[in-house]
């Protein structure tokens, strides 16, 4: 009786929630939710000032959901969960049938004191170290908060504060990409409060993000282009996209300007294409299954027919999305505090990077940016392998350009309570591929006795390659 009374008191004292809509973009369809705010300490010190954390609840589609909900943790670093949730609403449906889903904007993102900076879109494609340093300085000058407190170590404390505020005993963490680092550290720090882990695009605990980005992206493209060569329609119509990419990088040493309708506004927009911008566009296209399916065609049109419009349009759209969805200040707070101190010397990775289409530029720019960015608060055990007994389901895209299955394989080998599902031919964000939402739903219902029939994943086929502007072969 005392336990019930305490639980009721906690729930009665919970912060109020009110009806709201979450949107992936300003004019996108809304996702109905119940929204509110929780005040959390800015620093881990007694008497610290507070900051407001945005939270939302997506109610389960049953009258009496279990008391261990799912909490959504976005990636980036710098992406807001409140924008990720509506973009993935159709894939979260099987989970919502039985469980509430909590959406929490990590500090520094979305509606939780977002550390945003005004960025010029083409600057995202630049790889000059001096430009990167200047970008970092300008960003720091425009921030209202001290970025040293916007790290993974503070984020897990925030998660536990939200859990306590709403009287939740345990929950299941559904995390994406960089968010898997947050989820793993939460399980490390609060194992008794973590019922299960669903990790989509696992960042292995000791993994340093940044130095191997070029190699992993190259591996992903090699897999994609090989699949094109083995597809008769793709090979017959589009030849060899790998050779096209090399040729186009060389041709753009003399930059060209292409005017296309802006994918969002329709207004004629001039896009200057040069090697850096082409590399950046191809890298971003490698993430999503839809853009991967048109990448060989986009390269073919430019290389064989001198038609650059598809590449220019994709460059506009993808860079605009990145500017809108990524809080670059929060990204830098994490990357420069957690990863940059562990970067290898440039001489140790130079030769490997030279063998990739991205080359040394992106890593050099990231290093330069972090030279001027202040290092923040990092728990000393952040990179240690997880020891807690928490069941885990890992989802991987077979051709993921940033978190390939290899990290997940290492994680699963270390543990007896981890399961790995690989979506054939898929890029980043495996929950978007095949029958994975149903698999996740089964796992959440019974993580310690999880067993599934993998035949639905084996039947998954990647999106067919577009062979002309009309789409794939009939």
């Amino acid at each position: 009786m005392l336990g019930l009374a305490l639980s009721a008191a906690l729930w009665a004292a919970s912060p109020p929630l009110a009806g709201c809509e979450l949107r992936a973009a300003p004019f996108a369809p809304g996702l109905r939710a119940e929204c509110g705010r929780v005040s959390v300490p800015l620093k881990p010190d007694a008497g610290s000032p507070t900051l407001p954390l945005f939270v939302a609840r997506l109610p389960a589609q049953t009258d009496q959901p279990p008391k261990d909900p799912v909490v959504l943790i976005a990636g980036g670093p710098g992406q807001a969960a409140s924008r990720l949730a509506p973009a993935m609403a159709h894939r979260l449906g099987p989970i919502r049938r039985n469980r509430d889903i909590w959406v929490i904007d990590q500090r520094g993102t979305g509606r939780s004191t977002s550390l945003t900076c005004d960025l010029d879109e083409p600057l995202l494609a630049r790889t000059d170290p001096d430009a990167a340093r200047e970008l970092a300085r300008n960003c720091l000058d425009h921030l209202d908060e001290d970025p040293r407190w916007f790290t993974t170590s503070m984020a897990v404390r925030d998660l536990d504060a939200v859990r306590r505020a709403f009287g939740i005993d345990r929950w299941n963490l559904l995390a994406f990409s960089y968010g898997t680092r947050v989820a793993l550290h939460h399980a490390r720090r609060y194992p008794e409060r973590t019922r299960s882990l669903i990790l989509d695009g696992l960042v292995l605990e000791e993994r340093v993000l940044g130095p191997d980005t070029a190699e992993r992206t190259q591996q992903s493209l090699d897999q994609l282009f090989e699949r094109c060569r083995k597809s008769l329609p793709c090979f017959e119509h589009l030849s060899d996209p790998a050779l096209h990419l090399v040729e186009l990088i060389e041709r753009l040493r003399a930059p060209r300007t292409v005017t296309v309708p802006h994918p969002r506004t329709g207004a004629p927009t001039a896009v200057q294409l040069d090697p850096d911008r082409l590399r950046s566009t191809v890298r971003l296209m490698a993430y999503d299954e839809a853009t991967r399916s048109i990448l060989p065609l986009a390269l073919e049109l430019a290389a064989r027919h001198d038609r650059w419009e598809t590449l220019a349009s994709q460059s506009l759209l993808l860079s605009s999305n990145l500017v809108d969805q990524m809080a670059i200040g929060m990204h830098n707070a994490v990357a420069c505090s957690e990863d940059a101190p562990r970067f290898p010397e440039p001489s140790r990775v130079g030769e490997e990077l030279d063998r990739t289409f991205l080359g040394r530029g992106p890593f050099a720019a990231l290093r330069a940016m972090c030279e001027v960015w202040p290092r923040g608060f990092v728990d000393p055990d952040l990179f240690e392998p997880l020891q807690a007994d928490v069941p885990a389901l890992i989802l991987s895209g077979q051709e993921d350009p940033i978190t390939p299955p290899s990290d997940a394989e290492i994680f699963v080998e270390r543990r007896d309570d981890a399961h790995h599902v690989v979506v054939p031919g898929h890029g980043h964000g495996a929950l978007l591929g095949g029958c994975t939402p149903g698999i996740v739903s089964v796992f959440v219902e019974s993580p310690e006795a999880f067993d599934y029939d993998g035949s639905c994943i084996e039947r998954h086929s990647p999106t067919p390659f577009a062979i002309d502007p009309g789409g794939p072969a009939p």
Side-chain angles (χ1 to χ4, degrees):
M1 291 298 292
L2 178 60
L4 289 174
L6 288 173
S7 177
L10 280 170
W11 185 261
S14 298
L17 298 176
C20 66
E21 286 192 342
L22 306 180
R23 297 181 186 274
F27 301 104
L31 175 65
R32 295 295 301 168
E34 300 169 354
C35 300
R37 294 188 180 276
V38 174
S39 292
V40 296
L42 174 65
K43 307 175 184 180
D45 307 324
S48 166
T50 62
L51 60 84
L53 211 65
F54 175 81
V55 301
R57 184 173 74 97
L58 305 178
Q61 296 165 346
T62 182
D63 292 335
Q64 294 183 325
K67 294 182 179 180
D68 42 25
V70 171
V71 59
L72 191 68
I73 304 175
Q79 185 182 27
S82 61
R83 289 195 169 188
L84 176 64
M88 302 193 70
H90 62 300
R91 306 296 284 181
L92 298 174
I95 303 171
R96 284 190 67 188
R97 289 194 192 109
N98 295 319
R99 271 181 169 76
D100 293 343
I101 297 179
W102 284 82
V103 177
I104 304 171
D105 279 350
Q106 185 171 334
R107 61 166 64 195
T109 73
R111 306 185 207 182
S112 294
T113 315
S114 182
L115 299 186
T116 55
C117 301
D118 291 332
L119 293 181
D120 177 24
E121 288 182 10
L123 190 55
L124 291 172
R126 300 287 80 93
T127 58
D128 177 62
D130 290 335
R133 293 187 192 93
E134 186 64 21
L135 169 64
R137 293 190 185 98
N138 289 340
C139 186
L140 285 168
D141 289 342
H142 288 87
L143 294 181
D144 295 325
E145 299 287 348
D146 186 343
R148 292 177 298 170
W149 305 109
F150 289 75
T151 59
T152 301
S153 298
M154 292 305 304
V156 299
R157 289 165 168 79
D158 293 344
L159 283 174
D160 196 58
V162 172
R163 182 195 62 76
R164 288 184 280 108
F166 289 97
I168 299 169
D169 184 53
R170 295 193 306 165
W171 50 16
N172 307 275
L173 307 186
L174 172 57
F176 299 85
S177 194
Y178 152 74
T180 65
R181 177 181 287 178
V182 179
L184 287 167
H185 196 44
H186 181 282
R188 184 182 296 113
R189 283 305 175 96
Y190 309 104
E192 72 284 358
R193 303 303 181 188
T194 309
R195 180 174 177 265
S196 74
L197 297 168
I198 305 100
L199 308 174
D200 186 347
L202 175 72
V203 177
L204 194 65
E205 297 98 325
E206 64 266 33
R207 176 66 60 191
V208 182
L209 294 175
D212 56 4
T213 296
E215 292 178 87
R216 291 187 161 195
T217 306
Q218 185 66 56
Q219 179 186 31
S220 173
L221 283 185
D222 290 345
Q223 292 172 312
L224 177 72
F225 294 160
E226 180 63 19
R227 187 156 51 82
C228 175
R229 284 188 288 266
K230 291 181 177 179
S231 165
L232 187 58
C234 190
F235 181 75
E236 284 186 342
H237 290 83
L238 306 180
S239 185
D240 190 337
L243 295 179
H244 291 339
L245 178 57
V246 173
E247 175 189 342
L248 293 175
I249 290 173
E250 184 62 31
R251 284 166 59 180
L252 287 177
R253 295 188 186 282
R256 64 175 62 207
T257 299
V258 183
T259 300
V260 294
H262 196 287
R264 291 185 176 178
T265 66
T269 305
V271 180
Q272 184 180 58
L273 292 174
D274 59 20
D276 278 351
R277 185 132 194 193
L278 175 62
R279 290 185 178 105
S280 175
T281 300
V282 171
R283 176 190 171 189
L284 293 176
M285 290 181 73
Y287 274 71
D288 183 75
E289 189 162 347
T291 50
R292 290 170 67 83
S293 70
I294 65 171
L295 178 55
L297 172 63
L299 297 173
E300 165 80 10
L301 290 172
R304 291 287 188 88
H305 306 285
D306 204 36
R307 293 173 56 187
W308 299 82
E309 293 82 3
T310 302
L311 287 171
S313 295
Q314 286 297 316
S315 179
L316 273 179
L317 180 61
L318 294 170
S319 59
S320 296
N321 289 344
L322 197 60
V323 168
D324 289 346
Q325 297 185 18
M326 190 71 67
I328 190 66
M330 184 272 188
H331 169 276
N332 293 354
V334 170
C336 299
S337 300
E338 299 172 11
D339 295 293
R342 301 182 294 146
F343 282 171
E345 290 300 317
S347 59
R348 295 180 56 190
V349 295
E351 292 184 4
E352 291 85 352
L353 298 182
D354 289 338
R355 290 193 285 269
T356 69
F357 84 98
L358 284 174
R360 304 188 186 198
F363 181 46
L366 181 59
R367 286 183 64 95
M369 186 177 290
C370 289
E371 288 173 4
V372 300
W373 199 270
R375 293 183 180 179
F377 174 72
V378 178
D379 286 324
D381 59 345
L382 179 62
F383 310 109
E384 294 180 4
L386 180 65
Q387 301 296 327
D389 294 328
V390 180
L393 172 64
I394 321 298
L395 307 177
S396 298
Q398 183 185 28
E399 299 176 6
D400 191 318
I402 192 65
T403 53
S406 54
D407 271 9
E409 291 166 0
I410 295 172
F411 183 86
V412 171
E413 286 176 1
R414 293 174 176 169
R415 305 182 62 87
D416 297 326
D417 55 0
H419 310 270
H420 189 202
V421 175
V422 181
V423 182
H426 196 79
H428 199 53
L431 191 62
L432 292 170
C435 59
T436 49
I439 294 174
V440 170
S441 179
V442 171
F443 174 77
V444 171
E445 290 306 307
S446 185
E448 293 180 348
F450 176 62
D451 188 19
Y452 79 102
D453 178 2
S455 61
C456 70
I457 284 291
E458 294 170 3
R459 292 193 298 269
H460 173 75
S461 297
T463 302
F465 290 107
I467 60 171
D468 59 40

